[in-house]
Amino acid sequence: VQLVESGGGLVQPGGSLRLSCAASGFNLDFYGIGWFRQAPGKEREAVACIGTGNGETYYADSVKGRFTISRDRAKNTVYLQMNSLTPADTAVYYCAKSIYRSSTSYPGNYDYWGQGTQVTASS
């Protein structure tokens, strides 16, 4: 099992980025996927999660209306579209594979993690 994130970078406040999480070694049709982030000195927090059911998603209150999680089954890839970024969104972003089909925000329910990608929103 492997998860590889890409798409991070430096963006001005108000800008957008799209993160990708390419999965291998398992089929996304059978497991939920979550995006988490961790800023320096803070705990890792769930940002957005997607389950295997149609339209089953979770978003943290701080990103609702700005971030969108989606999956491409043909590419076995999950995306996180991030709009209207603010300095508070600056963190290392990780994708992870859930042990369940459903979307879940609890990090303990995830068994495989990517290496992370840095997102920085700064002028």
Side-chain angles (χ1 to χ4, degrees):
V1 172
Q2 190 174 19
L3 298 161
V4 179
E5 303 100 333
S6 61
L10 173 64
V11 64
Q12 290 191 341
S16 298
L17 285 174
R18 187 177 80 156
L19 304 183
S20 299
C21 174
S24 60
F26 71 100
N27 193 321
L28 286 179
D29 286 345
F30 301 113
Y31 298 96
I33 296 292
W35 281 100
F36 294 78
R37 67 186 180 188
Q38 188 165 20
K42 295 187 176 181
E43 291 187 356
R44 188 169 298 190
E45 63 172 348
V47 174
C49 310
I50 187 166
T52 58
N54 287 335
E56 182 189 359
T57 56
Y58 161 87
Y59 292 97
D61 287 343
S62 58
V63 307
K64 282 181 181 176
R66 300 188 299 123
F67 289 13
T68 303
I69 189 170
S70 62
R71 68 168 74 217
D72 185 328
R73 286 182 163 82
K75 295 182 178 180
N76 219 37
T77 298
V78 174
Y79 302 98
L80 184 67
Q81 177 67 44
M82 306 186 295
N83 299 328
S84 303
L85 285 161
T86 74
D89 296 313
T90 296
V92 177
Y93 284 69
Y94 301 88
C95 67
K97 170 191 164 292
S98 174
I99 61 176
Y100 302 116
R101 287 177 173 264
S102 60
S103 61
T104 168
S105 62
Y106 177 52
N109 288 337
Y110 291 81
D111 55 358
Y112 288 94
W113 295 77
Q115 82 288 348
T117 185
Q118 177 70 46
V119 171
T120 303
S122 174
S123 55

